Each structure stands twice: as C-alpha cells, then as structure tokens.
Amino acid sequence: MSGRSEGTPFAPHTAETTAEMLAAVGVDEEAELFDIPDAVAFDGEFGIPARSEREVIGDLRDTFARNDDLTEFLGRGHYGHYVPALVDDLSSRSEFLTSYTQYQPEITQGFLQALFEYQSMLVELTGLPVANCSMYDAATALAEAALLADRVRSTSGETVLVPEDLRDGKRSTLDNYVDGSSLSVATYPYDDGVVDLDALRDRVDDDVCYVYAENPTVTGAIEENLATVGDVAADNDALFCVGSDVVALGLLREPASAGADVVVGEAGALGLPTAYGMGLGLFACREEYLRQVPGRLVGAGEDAAGMRAYTLTLQTREQHIRKERATSNICTNQAWVALRTAMHVAMLGASGLADLAEDCVRNARDLAADLDDLDGVTAPLHDRHHFREFAVGVDDAPAVAAGLRERGYAVHVLDDGTLQVCVTDLNAGERDGLVAAFAEVTDR
Amino acid sequence: MSGRSEGTPFAPHTAETTAEMLAAVGVDEEAELFDIPDAVAFDGEFGIPARSEREVIGDLRDTFARNDDLTEFLGRGHYGHYVPALVDDLSSRSEFLTSYTQYQPEITQGFLQALFEYQSMLVELTGLPVANCSMYDAATALAEAALLADRVRSTSGETVLVPEDLRDGKRSTLDNYVDGSSLSVATYPYDDGVVDLDALRDRVDDDVCYVYAENPTVTGAIEENLATVGDVAADNDALFCVGSDVVALGLLREPASAGADVVVGEAGALGLPTAYGMGLGLFACREEYLRQVPGRLVGAGEDAAGMRAYTLTLQTREQHIRKERATSNICTNQAWVALRTAMHVAMLGASGLADLAEDCVRNARDLAADLDDLDGVTAPLHDRHHFREFAVGVDDAPAVAAGLRERGYAVHVLDDGTLQVCVTDLNAGERDGLVAAFAEVTDR
Amino acid sequence: RYEPLLSEKDGKEVDPGEGSVLPDDLTRDSLELPELSEPELARHYTRLSQMNWSVEAGPYPLGSCTMKYNPSFTDVVAADPNAAVHPDRDPATVQGNLELLHGLQGYLADIGGMDAVTLQPPAGAAGEFAGITVAKAYHEANGDDRSEVIVPASAHGTNFATAAMAGYDVVELPSDEDGRVDVEALEAAVSEDTAALMLTNPNTVGLFERDIEEIATVVHDAGGLLYYDGANLNALLGRARPGDMGFDIMHYNVHKTFATPHGGGGPGAGPVGVTGELAEFLPRPQVREAPDGDGYELFDPERSVGKVHGFLGNWLVLVRAYAYIHRLGDQGLLDASAKAVLNANYLAERVEFDVPYGPFHHEFAATSGDRDAADVAKRMLDYGVHPPTTKWPEMVPEAMLTEPTEAESKSSLDDLAAAFNAAAADSVEELETAPSKTTARRIDQADAARNPRLSWQALGESPDDS
Amino acid sequence: RYEPLLSEKDGKEVDPGEGSVLPDDLTRDSLELPELSEPELARHYTRLSQMNWSVEAGPYPLGSCTMKYNPSFTDVVAADPNAAVHPDRDPATVQGNLELLHGLQGYLADIGGMDAVTLQPPAGAAGEFAGITVAKAYHEANGDDRSEVIVPASAHGTNFATAAMAGYDVVELPSDEDGRVDVEALEAAVSEDTAALMLTNPNTVGLFERDIEEIATVVHDAGGLLYYDGANLNALLGRARPGDMGFDIMHYNVHKTFATPHGGGGPGAGPVGVTGELAEFLPRPQVREAPDGDGYELFDPERSVGKVHGFLGNWLVLVRAYAYIHRLGDQGLLDASAKAVLNANYLAERVEFDVPYGPFHHEFAATSGDRDAADVAKRMLDYGVHPPTTKWPEMVPEAMLTEPTEAESKSSLDDLAAAFNAAAADSVEELETAPSKTTARRIDQADAARNPRLSWQALGESPDDS
C-alpha cells in the first residue's frame, strides 16, 4: 500500500537498504547476481500490469459475479454443509494459515496437537486405530489405499476391484496411480444401487488383492451388506477398503466393524465450504500397516523436560527421507483443511454430529417422498435407505435439469432417464421450491 | 453449535458441571440464587425464538439487502476510503478485539503500544504535542474541547463561537454538552464558503472563550485564512480549536502552525469503512492542558526490569478516580477504531498519506470542472480550493437529487438550489457516470 | 518480548506541498511517518497482539465490565457490505438499516420494560449523559427547576461525572450495612431539588436492591426521576426489568450485556430507554414504522433534546448486539443470566479471601484484608489469569470486584479460584514484586504520570532510553 | 505452556442409532467425541495458535520451501461466496470460475514459457506425478518403451518418489564439483531407456544450471524429455523461463512462488505446463475459450491421461495464486525474484558458517562443519528465529539450506545472521541441549517413532502419562 513504492509491495526493501545490501554483496544491481546465460534469459514481457489490492479484489468480484446464482442440490462426493463462523475465524489466524510442515516441533506444538486431535477423531469415526493427517481428496486416498494393498498383501493377486458405478474422478485417478505398479483395475456391479453380492462373489478370486466398497454409495444409497462384502474380501485375503465421508461416519456403523482394513473418503464435508471440488482425503487403517501408510503422521512423545509433546513421526516412510522407496510421493498435503475439519467436528460434538448425520437421512427421505408424489417422477430410484442424496427417475433427464436450471436449481444428470439430487442443511430450506420446480417442469 | 444444548450456546456448562456448581453453592436450581422480590420479578416472555447462527446471518443478510444499491458521493463529516484487507485481518485478531481497557498494563502491552503509536501519529499530523487515544466522534470531540476551554481559559468569557454552517450533528451535540456549564454557543458567518474574517472580528470580544474553525469546512472548502482566525482568537485569549480530519491533515498545513490550541475531528476516515456514521474522535492539544484532557492517555514508562513499558496515565483526570470532578464522563471509547486507524496510517506511510490527500484535492477539482461544464450547474459553488467535496449550484436541488438517485447515485441536498458531492478513492472511478447522470437530469 | 515502535523501524519524511495543486501556504512542508512494507506491518501487529490479554486468552473477571465471550458470527454480520452505507442517505434508500435499528429498539424496550429507546449514545457514559439530559429537559418542560442528582457512594464513577457534566450538584448517598441503598438516608436526601436518583441494580457488589419499590416511591414522591445504570443488566436478563421496578430512564451497555467485543476500550454503545412520558424528549432522530405500513422512517421526537453524537451512534456495535439477541432468544437470555449468577456465586464460594455481603448476583467483591488488593492482582497475573477490578467499590476495603460472566466453565472458575487462593497464601514480598512471568514486569505508573511521555516524539532515539 | 487435548476436556458419548430412522444394524451404537462450548473451543484453538511459528511471527528460511509473505487480500478473494460452487455445475453456469481458471492457465504458461497448463494437481508432488504420467503417455503413444527417469542426487525427494510411483527405475546422477549437473555423467546415464530427466533450476543449493542447453540437447538426443521441478521458480520470475531452456514439462508450486499460504503443510497446488507437443496428453478437463467467442468451456484433451484428482484440484489455492499474479504484474514479479536473490546472497555473506559453491540465487546451503546441523537448528530456535532446512541436500555435509525469500528486510536478515553466528559460537553442549526457550524442549523423535501413539485413544487418561 505504501504510496510511492515500486516493484512488489510484499518485499520490505527501501532504496537505502537495497543499496546497503548490494554493497555488502559487492554488486551494483540485483541483475548482476543472476547467473543466467544470455541464450536462455528472458527479456520479454508478460504484459500484466501491476494493480492495487482494491482493483484485484474488484476484478475478481466481477469475475465471480458471472457465475449464475443457482441453488445447488449437488453432491456425488463434494458436499456443502454450513461451516460455523468460528471455524473461519480461528483457522485463518496467521499462526495456523502461514505456517508450514512441522519440521521443528518445538515451535509448532499448536498445529501438531490440532492434527493429532484430527487423527484421533478419525480413529473414533472409522473404528480403525491409525489415521494419517491428510491426503489430497477422496480419489487420491482411494488410489493410495490400492498402492498400500500392493505393498502389504502377501497374495499374488494384482486385481483391484471397484464398483462399476465409481465416480469417474475416482476411477481415473486410481487408474493413473496403479499404472506404475503391477496392479490392474476391474469392477463389480451394483444391484438396485448397492453391491450385487452374488456378482461380487463371482468376481473375487485369488487374483484380487483389493476390494473397494462405498457406504454411502455415489448415489447416496446406504450399503446394507457391508460386512458381507468385507467377508468376501477377507476370505480371499484381499484388502478391504471402505469409502465414506466424515458426516456419514457419525451415524453409520463404523467400517472397522464390517471388517474394513482401510477407510478412505472425503473429510472436507465438514470444515470446508463448497469449494469447486477441493477436498480433504480421509485415510485410516489397521495398526499392522502403520509403517506402510502414505502421508504424514503425528505422534505423541516426550520432550527433554518429560512433558508430553507432539511430533511428526515415522518419517522414514516419506519421500524426503526414503526417496524412491517412500510409501508415497506426497509432501504438501491438506493440513489446513484437516485443521478446519477438526474444528468443525469439535464444534458439533458427538451429539451435534450424530444429529447432522441423522438429518442427512431424514432430509433425503422427505425430499424423495415429495418428489415421488409427482407424476412421472420416481424417487428414490433405488429402493434403499439413502444418505443426503438419491437418484431420481424421470422421462427426459436433460430436459428436466434444464427446466430446473431456468427456475434456479442445479441437479445432477446421470443419464437420459436419471437425475440425482443431494440435500444438506444448506439447501434443506429450499426443498419446497425444488419440488415445486420439479412439478412445473415434469408436468408436460 | 453443539447439537443438543439448550439455553445460551455461549456458556460452557454441561448438566453435570451445573449440578456440581449448584451443589457447591447449596441450591437446587439457579432460580434460587436470584434475590428479586416477586413484585418486580418478570415472568413474561419477549417472544424471541432462539435461532441458529446460520439463520441469524441469513436474516440479517436479507435485511441489509433491502438497502438500495447506490453509488454514494456523500461526505460532510463521514468519509469512505478504501481500507486495506490487512487492517481487517490484524484488527480482528481476538487479542485486540476481545480485550478491554488496559487496567493491567503488564499483560496488555500490545494494545497500549498500538495506542501510543496512534497518539504519536496524531501528534505528527496536528503539530500539537498531546493527543488522547480517542473520543467517540468529531462532534463529541468538538464539544469536549469547548468544556476544556471552560476549564483552562482564565477569561471571564463564556461564549463558544462556531460557524453558522456547522453541521447539525456537531452543533446539537455541542449545545447539549455545554448546557450543563456556564457556556453558551454563538455563531459567526462564512463568506463564500470560508470564514468571513471581518464578521468574525466583529463578533469576537471578551465574552468569547472559544473559537472553532474547520479546515476543510463542511462543504469541503480549504480555509485560506486559518492563521488569521487563530490570531483573532489569541488576541482575545480565546481557545482556538480547529476541526479537520486525518486525511486532510496529511496535506494541509498543520493546525498548530496556525495557532491551534486544540485540534478535533474525524480520524475514522482512515481505518474505518463507511459505517453509517460511526466514527473516531480525534483530540489533540497543547502540553499546558495536559491535566485537563478528556479521555484516555497512554504514556511510556519503565517496568521493574528497567525496560520501556506503556501504561494508561494521568488517570486521576478520569471518572473512575475523580468522579464528579473528572475532566469528562467518558469511559468506554473508540480504542479499537484508533487501532485500525493507526494500522491504516502505517500502511500508507508518509508518502501514501500525502498522495491520498492530494488525490482528494485533485479528484474534487476534476469532478467540479466536469460538472461546471454542464448547463445550469455551478461547481464548485464557492470559489475556493476544495478537499474531497464541494457544494454545487443547480436549479432544483431536490429534483436533481431524485433524478440522480434513479440513476444510482446518492448526493447531499443542502437547500433548494444547492447539492453537495464528495469524491474519494472509493467512488472516483464512477466520476464519469455521475457526470453523465447529472447531464441527463439537468438537461431539461 | 520487546517490539520496537513503528518509529524505530523505517520511517520517511516527505514534503506534501511539493507537487501539490494547492498553493504552498496551504500545505504542510513536512510529514514524517513510519514507512513500512506490508509484511513488516503484519509482523508488528501480530507481535503486539501476542502481548495482549483477551477473552479468548482466558478468564477476564473484571467486575462491572461483563467480559463475556464475543461470538464470531457477529463479525460476519457486522462486515456485510450492504450495510456499509452513509448516514446521510435518504431513509427510503436504507430500509435495511432502519429495519435493524427499529428491531433493536424493540428488543431493548422489551428487555428493559421501557416504552421507547434511542440507539444514538456511543457508550454507556454517553447513554447516561443522554438519559440525564432527557431528565433535565423533562423537568424544564414542567417548569421545574431542580439542581441535584443523587448517586449512591458505590455507584460507577461515570454516574457522578455524568451528573456533573449535565450541570447537576451530586448528592452522594451512603450504603446501609447490608451494602444496599439506605432508604432512610435516601428519604433524608430527596427534596424538591432532586432531579433524579441514579442507581445500578444489582448494585456494584452484586446485591439486588430489594427495596426498589420503596426507593422508587421516595424519589417519585419528591418529583424526581429514577435512572437505571444498565452496567449490571446481565444479572437480570429475562428475570426482572427496570421498567417494572419503577425506573423512568435507563441505559443499556450493549458491549457488556449483549456480548459485543470491548475492542481494547471500545467502541461500545449505550442505548437509552425511557417510559412513555419521556419519549418525546429522546434524541433525534428515532426510527418508526412508516404510517402507511410501508417500511420505516426517521422522525424527530416532539421535544427532542437534540443529539449526543454527530450521526447515529456506533452502528457496527448495534448490529452485533441485535444479532446476539436474535440468536439467543428468550431461552438463551434467561440462561445467560442464570449461568452468570451461578458462576459468581460458585466462585465466591471457592475464593478463600473474605467476601462480605451477599447473596450475590453476577459479581462479588472479595476483600484482600490487610493485603494490598492491587498487589494481589499483580500476583494473579503470574498465575495466568486476569485479575478482578481492584480497590473499588470503596465500601469494601481492598476490594477485588469479580464478575466471571456466564462464559466461564467450572474448570475455568476453579483455575481462577486457585489463582486467588495461591496469591492469598503468598508472602507480602511475593505480592509486591509481582508479576514476573508477564511480558512486562511491574510498571511504575506513578512515575509515568509524573513524567508524562505520550508520543514517540517525546522519547529519545533509542529503545532503552526510557 | 501446556494445553490439554480436547479429549481431556469435556466429552460425550451418544448412541447415534437411538431414534434414528435407519434400522439398528446400519447404525453405530456409540460415538464418543469432545463436546465443548464455543467459548472453550475458541480458547483451545487460540492457545494452540500461540504455540505455532508462522511467517507472520518472523523469518522462516526453510530452504526449498519459499516461505514468503502471504498477502491478506487473497483471503478476501478466496472467500467470495459467488465462487463457492459445486464442481458438477454445468460449465455454462460457472463462467466466472472458468474465466479465472483460463486466466491462470494463461499467466502460468507465459511465466513458464509453456504452451498449455493444467491446474488440476493439488500439490507439487501431485504435479510431478501428473507431469511424469504425461511423459509416459507421450512415449507410449510413440510406441516408445522407456523405463528410466534420471534424477540428480541433489533433487527433492519427491522426484525420486514420483518416478518410482509412475513405475520408472530411478537413475541417480551425481553432481560435478561445482555443485551442478555433471554433463559427462549425464551423457553416460542417458540411453534409449531414458524417459525423462527431472531437474530443478536453480538447483537445491541455489546454483543455476549454466549448461542447461547442453543438458537439454543430451536428453532430447536420447529421446528423453526434460522435466522442470518448479520448487525454485521464485528465483527466475520474469528473468528466465523453463520453456526457453528446453524443458518440455514443468510443475509450478503456487504455494511457494505465488505466495499462497502453506497452511501448516498444505493445501498447495501443482499446476503442470507442457510444450505444444504434449498438450494433448494433459489431464482432463481443460478450460478454453468457447469457439463462438462466448465465454469458456471445458474440454478433454484428445489423448488425455485422465485425472489425478477427484475434481478440479485445490480451487481456493488457485484463486489466491491468480490474485497474487494479477496484483504484482510484470514489475512486481521481476522485483520479487530480484529481492529474493539479493536476500539470499546478502545473508550468505553475513553467515559465518562456511557456504560452499556459488554464486547463489534464492537459497544457499551453509555447512555446520563438525557441528550437527540439526543441533545448530535447535539452538537457533532459542534465538527466536526459525532455522533452515537441515542435513539436505547431502552434497553439502551437515547442510543448512537457507532460503530467506524476498519478504525479509535487511534488519530481519541481520537478525537471522546473528542467530546463525551465535549458534556457531556456542558450545556443543549448548547446541545439544537446545532449545530451552520454546514451548516444548527438545523432543525425542526417535522414541516417538519407536513407540508410536497416534491418537488420544492410544494415550492413557492423564496428561502427564506420556
């Protein structure tokens, strides 16, 4: 902001101190310090003018105002829940926001403790004893779990089995992650929205080293036979990985009790507002895989005064120590989102989280019932319990979605005859509006 | 946020701890602790439902959305300048925002130092050696200065002399403040927007103990004869008080050099966004009045280790010590706004503040020239230099203002033939739009 | 930890007149201010913040200050850009702001049992001044020339100062031995000169004035008005209303009762409520529903005293107060007073210093006996808490006026009690040399006052030149 | 100062199945979590924050991490509610977001001298993985079966790990005695198996690879691709572009070069730029201008490798990066690299430890000689600064890799140098027992790893049961 400064406003140099420093270094100007051969030096311009803070904020406000103002009934892996103001307030404290990886634990106990608390919350939610302090998102967590299977399973199996209906973002990321390994990806089908157990049993054999199941599924169906799926995996010595999210885990039976070896999923559903797909990958597993876990782990230990203290631990798994033999290449992760998620969980508490999760079931049930009352609309499409979201059968899905959009609502189009809607605390108050819009659009 | 709590969400009590505390106190329920006679107990209801944080934010967002979206060219004592994001960020740190008066300086050095720095900035800007750490606003600062005159002037004079054109908010506040003293308020006229020196000389006599002049004036005119006004006051042993604001002081000759004994005015013009009239009263004076200053003062001293430390000082002037003999009844003040103002001044620096102030002159000059080019519009109405704002002569001011409002602009209506417009960095970019709207509206 | 003054870092002197379009004699020749980059300023103020106690740091039991938790969501509503309008806007174009003001006038009137409320006074003391100015106007309108305001000895200093500022002689009223208003002394004090009695209830040692009806009768029979100082209203939320007790005028300290942040000393807001009889004297303008039922309008009460602030008061504070009341509702307000009173009584029970009087509402005054209360407070700093208000009110010798508010948990109160009790057990020498664990050691305030240095200009060049 | 775990405060166990509309066998029987009030949580996290170093606390010269100042105004743009949309929205309804992505693709392409950019990778390492995956797809499309990636010994650990994750054998390349790539060794290392050389320039001791053109020729002649690790791009902003040096693929660490906050470990973002030849392999979707010139659209590159993130990457980070570039412009970017390089050279000059190699760009690796670099770092904590990265890269024994960035002032660098030099003068015992002035004393990391306790469930009940 300083009125007459030039160059970056974020360097504190004055003409005087710059001159002193140049003199100390023994050059006349900064350009002399650059050891760049002429042949590769850049003397062009990008043509970007410098702008004031206010201009930048104004420009971007104008840019974002070009988004249409729609009420979103969208989910399928990215969820909006109301984030309390205190989460914004506390997480944006510069001590948290502008710090980095806790290489010096003696002066970063605050963040370490918060991450330790985050890990502990995931342990409670998943029922598994080990949780790392973040993956990028649910897709990369799922893919890292497959690579974990490759490392820890003694079977000769090299097939990774996932649902046919897996969301493309997850499937494609998984394909890329396993492409450098000996693994290959195959699928099993769903039956009316959840795992087709018979088909799954047919597919699982010695060649399978990893079975991935979601609860809730991508269309919001609650998996009724999760433990059976786990048994099928266990019987074939395949690693059983369950995908879920931090809200659903507050109500649904903990995956560990269904035999899950690993739980992955989206944890940013709490703490992070709708953020155009940005997420937080949840990753928890059995104790025996501890030394094969990807990503950072915070542990409790002691300092020289005998006081409990926290530190990054088991770092020999990581790329900066073990290089090409690391458990993953991940370095920068989603720590700050994990901090926010932990804050949000703490604000809800056990009762608040259970209530929020129960509302996800009830709201979905109620919205489905309202939609199902309309002619030509089947909701939910699958005869299952649902969490937050469900598929909807209609005659001409793209046309219905377009009609809803004209009326201010965004929904998913799955195929010509199927939509999907997702309801949370954020849009539950707009339910009647959505139903009325559906009625108008489908009443043709 | 806790899901199942009742009562205020801002008390940490659980059923268990409440029971323990009640038992320790020896009662069964809180109601027993209230010693309120039945005859005056309230057992009615206000009928206010409890609401979630999200509902409250939504309700108030809806409420404020009912304000019309107008581009404001408004000033007359309340000014909008762009406030850098860093000021919001740092001032909203809870250590600043949720602290109170520094009764224990050993654990409040941070805020004390910031206020000491604020005082120092005002000393530089006014040229006077003493500045307090806040009054409520310019109006109450002006009124407190009059009461100061009553205490410090040895003359028998009891007349407080202010401009005829003084803004009503200031005049009425002044009237109320002096009503309990022996002072009375009289006025002197303006000539073409600034002090009518001859008339002033006629009015000032032994009965006058206080002369107040503004620079810039309420219509933005820069007072050309401020030192002469000061001489007139001094010749009659009246206290000379100058009203200004924190931006104007960055460019205009410092009031002390014109003989000001006290400087008052609006300091929230920096640091505080447009806030529906909320302000920060600037108050600076000569050293000899130090023990008669109203409000809080921060001084530098030493701690037991011999280190420089800051503390509230000269508290024996204040109401909590001196009761009815205090220099003012002020207690809670505008400290947090002063913190923000200091931050904003620091971000601008000397060059940035001088530039911003110069722009206030140039923008006003340029806008006046554009408006003056229009038929039937005289701008500026007064043949003076202006700062930020100026009066505009038109045929039918209310009609022109109404026409401008329809086109999205708000301006002041002073009387049937006079408008006033104010231009700062916030609305300077809308200048052409305003001029075009003026042209449309006056072209009849 | 020491943080240099901004002036001890980089500064710059410029000549603002150089290159100005203004003539040279109108401009200053020099402006010298700190000139630092954004990263440097971010660190400066971050460090200063780290040297400051706050409600979010720990218990802050300053008696009579009601340092309760300030909810973060009110930051969001206060920052709404749609509300950031100029006060001179045509009222028809700021209906949202007027709606909020009207709503808050209504909430406060209901909570206080008053008929009309002005939101203009920018602080509690400003509210007192506005209220007493209304009382004065009322008496004057009745042709009634009254010269005295009665104030209990235990009252807030602002009451005395306000009455004096308004031109009244202050008549100080002693307490009875129970710590309350001595009704006989009051009867002796009132006369045809009595303009008003200013009273806090519960009073400044947390005692409810049980004789309030009798007190009101005495004052009213003498033709005086009863003024309620709202500093302690948090104790009564939803349980008793000044209007029902016979008070004619009251102010609300919204930064206390309604949880708006205290900001290191302010801003607060001091709305004033009055009975219907006095409504026509309130400051102008007021907000009301437009007669056609279409929105809200400003109006000037018929015999308004005028203004006590240049514009409409501390808007951003009022917005937060409205949001807080809107959030809590009846249930939350009732619970706030329940827990505030429970906390005060629980803590009084746990503190080993003598605590005279009782039963308490939101606060109590312990006495440090033969110890210096200010020294005890300094020692408490070493135990990691903020101490209470000390040496006031004078009716309790070496008073430690303690108001924990509803925001403290049992364990936090136990910590506070432990700090009191540890200091009680420490030697006089330990008290006198405290604190030692704070940013600054004990500061010599007397010396700072004898040799006032109020700006960096008044200091020498080097940081240790103190 | 000790802050108890949330679990050591109030907690609650509930049965979520009770009263649920779901059948009992689908719901959990118990959920036990901390259950605290808002004021308690505010204090908990405020206290934790007070136990954490940050850029706004002081210098943070972690080599290779580019801990520059994170401007506050980017918080404002990242919080714009209009941008908070779902990734599955029809692109026609989120033109604002697409415009920003398109703009950032363009800015980054220009700055790196690349032809096309994907913004999807959520971190630098994810960018490496995306980039190497593109290289693999390119070779495969050419029917070219290559199995090796060459990585200099001094490279970031992520380079090795990424190459391995992508299924390549890693060939480690030694440095020459000047600290740079040994071109002869490179010539010996390349073969028809070489898929790519991954290179950082300037390298991890701050040296510009002067032979970059020759290096590029060697790799390209062998049919390999040249990959640029963008971790050190801050040194070259506006002065040299990887594309002009012959790099085919690069990633950008926007949290380093473009000042987005590091958030205690993330999120960052790792966009990847490629030459035109490789653009068709980039992850899907990409953003382009709609053919009718009416806004923006998403499209899948013809031979896209697919996805490396479930959605579109770390949006909030990308927004901040765009805002930063938009604010600085050419002039600001040029000045950023100028001051970053000046600062590194100035500090290297002031530090009394040996500093091998040179001349430096944005960072340098001092050596603590016969002292343990990790001990020196611990001692520096006592002098109130954050120490450099230690014991890496291995080419410098007991390395202290120091990158001050442009955000430090001369006086801050002088303080940093003083901390280095004071530690240099301290005894070995002082180093080994440091730190003593920090929240925690030296932590036994080996013991923590031997006996891993990774959750509060794994701890005993009492806080000192460690």
Side-chain angles (χ1 to χ4, degrees), chain C residues 415-433:
Chain C
D415 290 346
L416 250 178
F420 270 103
N421 298 340
D426 285 333
S427 71
V428 169
E429 203 205 323
E430 283 170 315
L431 301 187
E432 285 176 350
T433 56

Side-chain angles (χ1 to χ4, degrees), chain A residues 7-9 11-13 20-21 30 34-35 37 39 42 45-48 50-51 53 59 63-64 66-68 72 74-75 78 86 93-100 102 104 106-111 113 116-117 119-120 124-125 136-137 140 167-169 172-173 176-177 179-180 249-254 274-278 290-291 298-300 302-304 308 310-311 313 319 323-324 329 332-336 346 349-351 358 361-362 365 385 405 412, chain D residues 3-6 8 19-21 23 25-28 32 34-35 44-45 48-49 51-55 60 67 70 73 82 84-90 93-99 110 122 125 129 136 157-158 160 162 164-167 180 208 210 213 235 239 241 255 261-267 284 305-307 309-311 314-315 326-327 329-330 335 339 343 361 378 381 387 406-407 409-410 441-445 449 453-457 463 466:
Chain A
T8 171
H13 303 65
E20 286 169 36
M21 292 164 73
E30 291 99 325
F34 290 86
D35 185 28
F42 175 69
E45 286 183 5
F46 309 132
I48 311 169
R51 293 172 178 89
E53 168 182 317
D59 283 357
T63 297
F64 295 140
R66 288 194 261 284
N67 289 337
D68 295 354
E72 300 178 341
L74 299 172
H78 188 64
L86 188 62
R93 288 179 62 83
S94 60
E95 294 92 331
F96 290 133
L97 187 61
T98 76
S99 68
Y100 197 34
Q102 297 76 29
Q104 297 292 344
E106 293 83 0
I107 56 168
T108 48
Q109 285 294 296
F111 217 119
Q113 182 171 336
F116 183 85
E117 292 172 345
Q119 291 175 178
S120 304
E124 171 66 16
L125 286 166
Y136 306 129
D137 71 344
T140 53
R167 199 187 150 104
D168 166 65
S172 182
T173 300
N176 272 321
Y177 269 59
D179 190 53
L249 289 170
L251 175 64
L252 303 184
R253 186 165 290 279
E254 50 276 41
T274 312
Y276 206 37
M278 179 165 163
L290 181 56
R291 285 180 163 73
V298 177
E302 253 185 40
D303 74 1
R308 186 200 295 159
Y310 306 93
T311 179
T313 194
Q319 46 72 31
K323 297 186 167 177
E324 64 269 31
N329 74 338
T332 294
N333 49 55
Q334 305 289 105
W336 185 72
S351 46
E358 177 70 16
V361 175
R362 291 173 190 247
R365 184 192 61 172
H385 297 287
R405 196 167 82 206
H412 300 278
Chain D
E3 172 65 13
L5 286 165
L6 285 171
E8 291 161 350
S20 174
V21 297
D25 61 326
L26 297 184
T27 57
R28 53 194 303 153
E32 186 174 1
E35 184 106 356
H44 179 72
Y45 285 106
L48 291 189
S49 77
M51 294 189 268
N52 220 61
W53 191 262
S54 69
V55 170
Y60 209 145
M67 299 299 294
N70 311 129
F73 81 95
N82 286 328
V85 298
H86 192 284
D88 286 352
R89 285 269 292 258
D90 186 315
T93 70
V94 288
Q95 286 292 302
N97 281 27
L98 295 188
E99 182 178 326
D110 285 351
F129 182 72
K136 186 161 64 173
T158 48
F160 300 88
T162 298
M165 246 175 99
R180 297 183 175 76
F208 193 89
R210 282 185 296 235
E213 289 180 292
R239 296 167 191 280
R241 310 193 305 172
H255 47 296
H262 284 60
R284 59 181 158 78
V305 297
K307 294 181 65 60
H309 183 271
F311 296 97
N314 278 338
W315 165 249
H326 203 63
R327 169 110 171 78
D330 287 56
D335 193 45
K339 296 305 190 293
N343 279 4
H361 289 85
K378 294 299 178 201
L381 297 176
E406 70 271 23
S409 67
K410 175 176 176 296
R441 301 287 298 273
R442 180 89 66 114
I443 295 167
D444 188 341
Q445 295 186 273
R453 288 171 305 160
L454 308 181
S455 64
W456 60 51
Q457 293 88 344
S466 57

Side-chain angles (χ1 to χ4, degrees), chain A residues 133-151:
Chain A
C133 64
S134 73
M135 305 264 78
Y136 306 129
D137 71 344
T140 53
L142 158 62
E144 291 274 16
L147 298 181
L148 174 72
D150 198 25
R151 293 193 294 274

Side-chain angles (χ1 to χ4, degrees), chain A residues 60-93:
Chain A
L60 287 187
R61 191 168 288 150
D62 292 347
T63 297
F64 295 140
R66 288 194 261 284
N67 289 337
D68 295 354
D69 185 16
L70 300 180
T71 300
E72 300 178 341
F73 283 83
L74 299 172
R76 291 180 66 82
H78 188 64
Y79 303 108
H81 288 283
Y82 179 74
V83 180
L86 188 62
V87 173
D88 285 331
D89 190 357
L90 293 170
S91 69
S92 62
R93 288 179 62 83

Side-chain angles (χ1 to χ4, degrees), chain B residues 7-9 11-13 20-21 30 34-35 37 39 42 45-48 50-51 53 59 63-64 66-68 72 74-75 78 86 93-100 102 104 106-111 113 116-117 119-120 124-125 136-137 140 167-169 172-173 176-177 179-180 249-254 274-278 290-291 298-300 302-304 308 310-311 313 319 323-324 329 332-336 346 349-351 358 361-362 365 385 405 412, chain C residues 3-6 8 19-21 23 25-28 32 34-35 38 44-45 48-49 51-56 60 70 73 82 84-90 93-99 110 122 125 129 133 136 157-158 162 164-167 180 208 210 213 235 239 241 255 261-267 284 305-307 309-311 314-315 326-327 329-330 335 339 343 361 378 387 406-407 409-410 441-445 449 453-457 463 466:
Chain B
T8 170
H13 303 65
E20 286 169 36
M21 292 165 74
E30 292 100 325
F34 289 86
D35 185 29
F42 175 69
E45 287 183 2
F46 307 133
I48 312 170
R51 293 174 177 89
E53 169 182 316
D59 283 357
T63 297
F64 295 140
R66 289 194 261 283
N67 289 337
D68 295 354
E72 299 178 341
L74 299 171
H78 188 65
L86 188 62
R93 288 179 62 82
S94 59
E95 294 91 331
F96 289 134
L97 187 62
T98 76
S99 69
Y100 197 34
Q102 297 75 29
Q104 298 292 344
E106 292 84 359
I107 55 168
T108 48
Q109 285 294 297
F111 216 120
Q113 181 171 335
F116 183 85
E117 292 173 346
Q119 291 175 179
S120 303
E124 171 66 16
L125 286 166
Y136 307 127
D137 71 343
T140 54
R167 195 184 155 107
D168 166 65
S172 182
T173 300
N176 271 321
Y177 270 59
D179 190 54
L249 289 170
L251 175 64
L252 303 185
R253 186 163 289 279
E254 51 274 42
T274 312
Y276 206 36
M278 180 165 163
L290 179 56
R291 286 180 163 74
V298 177
E302 253 184 40
D303 74 0
R308 187 202 293 160
Y310 306 93
T311 178
T313 194
Q319 46 73 31
K323 296 187 168 178
E324 65 269 29
N329 73 338
T332 295
N333 49 55
Q334 306 289 107
W336 185 71
S351 45
E358 178 70 17
V361 176
R362 290 173 191 246
R365 184 192 60 173
H385 298 287
R405 196 168 80 205
H412 299 278
Chain C
E3 171 66 13
L5 286 164
L6 286 171
E8 290 160 352
S20 173
V21 298
D25 60 328
L26 297 185
T27 57
R28 54 193 304 153
E32 186 175 1
E35 185 107 355
E38 185 168 327
H44 179 74
Y45 285 107
L48 291 188
S49 78
M51 294 188 267
N52 220 60
W53 191 261
S54 68
V55 169
E56 293 196 11
Y60 209 144
N70 311 128
F73 81 96
N82 286 329
V85 298
H86 192 284
D88 286 354
R89 286 268 291 257
D90 185 316
T93 69
V94 288
Q95 286 292 301
N97 282 27
L98 295 187
E99 181 178 325
D110 285 351
F129 182 73
T133 299
K136 186 161 65 172
T158 50
T162 298
M165 247 176 98
R180 296 183 175 78
F208 193 88
R210 283 184 294 235
E213 289 180 292
R239 296 167 192 279
R241 311 193 304 172
H255 47 295
H262 284 61
R284 59 181 157 81
V305 297
K307 294 181 67 59
H309 182 271
F311 296 97
N314 278 339
W315 166 249
H326 204 63
R327 170 110 171 78
D330 287 57
D335 193 45
K339 297 304 190 293
N343 278 4
H361 289 86
K378 294 299 177 200
E406 69 272 22
S409 67
K410 177 177 175 297
R441 301 287 299 273
R442 180 89 66 112
I443 294 167
D444 188 341
Q445 295 186 273
R453 288 170 306 160
L454 308 181
S455 65
W456 60 51
Q457 293 86 345
S466 59

